[in-house]
Amino acid sequence: MIERSIELLKVVFLGIVEGITEWLPISSTGHMLLVDEFLQMNASESFKEMFFVVIQLGAILAVVLLFWEKMWPFQRKTATQSPVRWETIQLWLKVVVACVPGAVVTLLFDDYIEAHMHTPTVIAAALIVYGVGFLVIENWNKTRTPKVRGLPDITYRTALLIGLFQVLSIIPGTSRSGSTIIGALILGVSRVAAAEFTFFLAVPVMFGWSFLKLLKFGFVFTGTELVTLGVGCLVAFLVSVVVIKFLMGYIKKHDFKVFGWYRILLGAVVLAYFALR
């Protein structure tokens, strides 16, 4: 009984970590892998590989809840309004375009990445490199005015280029939100629009990636595995609601430098820990 309670506390903690790190540009997968290095979930490697991806569905549902009005393309028909919001349809088409590069690369290289790159050294290096990237880009942006201020202003070309940046997130420690936000900032997208487009982009990406992981694992779970997955997703959902609201309020007044410094510090700590272990 005590052992089950300890395992459940581990899952709750992992859900909290996921809910915080999925939306802040500091790498959720990297944090989850590093946290598990210390917590050591009592589960098979195949289940953990699937769990660290599928738990992100809880975080995705938080986005759907908070941005439902912007994401749902239909509305009540009136004398002056069409039942279809074509601007939203166009935005989703841009999201599809942005998803294509990542989908292709994931299908081709996911197994190789899982086998060879989920190491503390790779994670730490990615944390540091992209941390420096945030600092450099934000300093550069001090002298620039965003060309794209809102979601409707994002073109298909810009969406595709952001999607190419998202490909970088296949490397553990990079951060899917981090790579897309960095790409958007380089392309002249405002911080708020970059974050919102990242939220939209996360929905099909994470649903698709989770489905692939479930397919690979098989849809047969023990009772303990179902509870573990359910609790992890629920906690990730609740924490994500709070974190997304915080992030959207924060970036309206501040830049992303604090996340860059955090990444560099965490990467250095990870390198030092595993070098001295």
Side-chain angles (χ1 to χ4, degrees):
M1 186 68 177
I2 294 177
E3 184 178 342
R4 288 185 178 180
S5 298
I6 292 174
E7 287 301 310
L8 190 59
L9 286 174
K10 290 180 182 179
V11 175
V12 170
F13 186 74
L14 287 168
I16 293 172
V17 172
E18 164 59 27
I20 294 173
T21 60
E22 179 62 36
W23 305 115
L24 303 183
I26 53 178
S27 177
S28 62
T29 303
H31 277 75
M32 297 285 279
L33 291 170
L34 292 172
V35 169
D36 185 58
E37 180 75 23
F38 301 100
L39 290 185
Q40 292 295 319
M41 284 177 65
N42 185 20
S44 67
E45 287 302 316
S46 60
F47 176 79
K48 286 197 289 187
E49 179 186 331
M50 177 274 299
F51 174 81
F52 289 147
V53 173
V54 177
I55 190 178
Q56 296 175 79
L57 287 180
I60 296 303
L61 291 177
V63 165
V64 174
L65 173 68
L66 294 175
F67 288 86
W68 179 255
E69 286 299 319
K70 287 189 175 183
M71 290 185 169
W72 186 244
F74 304 106
Q75 61 187 348
R76 181 177 297 179
K77 183 179 181 180
T78 66
T80 58
Q81 287 184 321
S82 166
V84 178
R85 293 191 293 183
W86 293 108
E87 186 177 89
T88 305
I89 295 289
Q90 283 193 331
L91 181 57
W92 277 116
L93 291 175
K94 294 170 187 175
V95 168
V96 171
V97 168
C99 286
V100 172
V104 172
V105 172
T106 298
L107 289 173
L108 291 176
F109 298 107
D110 186 49
D111 288 340
Y112 177 83
I113 296 294
E114 289 284 354
H116 300 285
M117 303 194 73
H118 278 219
T119 66
T121 302
V122 171
I123 292 170
L127 285 167
I128 293 171
V129 167
Y130 287 93
V132 172
F134 269 113
L135 298 181
V136 170
I137 290 166
E138 285 291 16
N139 283 332
W140 180 44
N141 274 345
K142 285 182 178 180
T143 59
R144 302 169 71 215
T145 300
K147 295 182 293 183
V148 179
R149 294 190 174 275
L151 286 177
D153 301 322
I154 293 176
T155 64
Y156 284 95
R157 178 179 178 275
T158 300
L160 177 60
L161 292 174
I162 291 174
L164 290 173
F165 276 97
Q166 183 182 234
V167 169
L168 300 172
S169 67
I170 194 172
I171 300 174
T174 298
S175 169
R176 184 196 54 76
S177 61
S179 61
T180 53
I181 287 173
I182 280 180
L185 292 178
I186 290 174
L187 295 169
V189 180
S190 70
R191 294 187 188 97
V192 172
E196 289 186 343
F197 192 72
T198 295
F199 296 154
F200 271 75
L201 193 53
V203 176
V205 167
M206 294 316 306
F207 271 113
W209 196 14
S210 295
F211 177 75
L212 289 176
K213 289 297 182 182
L214 285 169
L215 198 62
K216 183 178 179 180
F217 178 77
F219 291 87
V220 179
F221 297 89
T222 65
T224 300
E225 288 173 340
L226 277 176
V227 170
T228 297
L229 195 57
V231 170
C233 287
L234 176 60
V235 174
F237 167 78
L238 295 174
V239 174
S240 289
V241 170
V242 176
V243 171
I244 292 169
K245 289 182 177 180
F246 159 77
L247 179 63
M248 294 310 296
Y250 180 86
I251 61 176
K252 288 177 181 178
K253 300 178 181 179
H254 306 87
D255 58 28
F256 286 101
K257 280 187 178 181
V258 66
F259 304 114
W261 285 116
Y262 172 82
R263 291 179 66 105
I264 293 169
L265 177 61
L266 179 62
V269 170
V270 170
L271 283 177
Y273 171 81
F274 284 97
L276 298 172
R277 189 179 65 167

